[in-house]
Amino acid sequence: GESVGLHLPTLSVQEGDNSIINCAYSNSASDYFIWYKQESGKGPQFIIDIRSNMDKRQGQRVTVLLNKTVKHLSLQIAATQPGDSAVYFCAEGGDSWGKLQFGAGTQVVVTP
Amino acid sequence: DAGVTQSPTHLIKTRGQQVTLRCSPKSGHDTVSWYQQALGQGPQFIFQYYEEEERQRGNFPDRFSGHQFPNYSSELNVNALLLGDSALYLCASSLTGGPNEKLFFGSGTQLSVL
């Protein structure tokens, strides 16, 4: 079936470096993509979203890139901080009410 | 402005029992969606409630049911609990629940079935 997947289960990043988290999607009908951050014991927290009519969107220290040709999504975090340590999920939506299809997640570990 | 609140935070049940989880949406939101998150996995969509009715449902058995009240709060009920129902249950709210709308999640209810 359709699915959203992540290339790397764990990403270790040195404090101050930039992080790149990748995500592949397979549902060509999806036109909305969203990144969430989940810290231990908490629910997913919205980071940034992008619609399929865009290739790039920037937020505070984060950038999401969408490549529809290869069905690839990435999240870039600039100057990674210890507080960025968490599991990051990409999710796709757009084909039904309230239903986001989540990937398995990437654990980001920020080392000093 | 309160975000999405869920209760209880933790719950322990035994196989065959029934459980009810509760959720209050973010202020101004009228749509509630429920997700199940197994350990080490991404959340899986259970269903969405809007105007007190189930509008969309994921691939979950009828043992999973829900309800939405006039104040937009919602309950998730699970009957005949199985060991495999052990998970973090997340409630999310949104303005209208539309396909291109971000969801705001609560901290979840951790359900353990023994």
Side-chain angles (χ1 to χ4, degrees):
Chain A
E2 304 289 2
S3 65
V4 177
L6 296 175
H7 294 308
L8 297 172
T10 303
L11 180 66
S12 183
V13 182
Q14 196 159 13
E15 184 178 355
D17 286 351
N18 296 333
S19 304
I20 299 177
I21 307 168
N22 296 302
C23 177
Y25 68 94
S26 58
N27 186 354
S28 57
S30 295
D31 60 1
Y32 177 64
F33 304 89
I34 189 166
W35 283 98
Y36 282 95
K37 170 186 179 183
Q38 188 173 25
E39 297 174 279
S40 181
K42 297 183 179 179
Q45 177 187 359
F46 170 83
I47 301 173
I48 192 168
D49 58 2
I50 188 169
R51 303 191 191 285
S52 60
N53 61 352
M54 302 173 68
D55 297 323
K56 178 180 179 179
R57 191 170 186 210
Q58 289 183 293
Q60 187 175 11
R61 282 201 307 118
V62 294
T63 300
V64 56
L65 298 177
L66 176 62
N67 186 330
K68 295 179 286 296
T69 302
V70 294
K71 298 178 184 173
H72 184 267
L73 190 70
S74 68
L75 176 70
Q76 300 178 1
I77 305 173
T80 310
Q81 304 169 359
D84 295 326
S85 292
V87 177
Y88 289 79
F89 293 98
C90 65
E92 62 181 307
D95 66 347
S96 61
W97 295 95
K99 179 180 178 181
L100 291 178
Q101 183 90 17
F102 283 80
T106 292
Q107 175 77 57
V108 173
V109 178
V110 182
T111 57
Chain B
D1 177 25
V4 179
T5 58
Q6 293 186 243
S7 64
T9 55
H10 296 82
L11 204 52
I12 300 174
K13 292 287 188 179
T14 57
R15 282 181 298 174
Q17 286 189 312
Q18 178 265 344
V19 68
T20 298
L21 311 180
R22 297 176 176 82
C23 171
S24 292
K26 180 178 169 65
S27 178
H29 288 182
D30 62 5
T31 303
V32 173
S33 300
W34 286 92
Y35 285 75
Q36 179 195 66
Q37 185 176 23
L39 187 64
Q41 297 183 20
Q44 298 293 313
F45 176 75
I46 303 175
F47 43 53
Q48 183 192 73
Y49 274 83
Y50 173 72
E51 290 189 343
E52 302 180 48
E53 291 193 359
E54 183 182 295
R55 177 159 67 179
Q56 184 80 16
R57 188 178 183 94
N59 188 27
F60 278 81
D62 292 343
R63 297 187 297 109
F64 289 77
S65 63
H67 187 77
Q68 186 178 35
F69 299 93
N71 67 353
Y72 309 124
S73 66
S74 176
E75 289 182 348
L76 165 65
N77 301 293
V78 187
N79 295 321
L81 285 167
L82 303 174
L83 296 179
D85 294 331
S86 295
L88 179 67
Y89 288 85
L90 295 163
C91 171
S93 72
S94 55
L95 280 173
T96 66
N100 296 327
E101 199 173 275
K102 62 188 176 190
L103 302 181
F104 292 83
F105 285 86
S107 293
T109 294
Q110 184 65 55
L111 173 66
S112 297
V113 182
L114 306 179

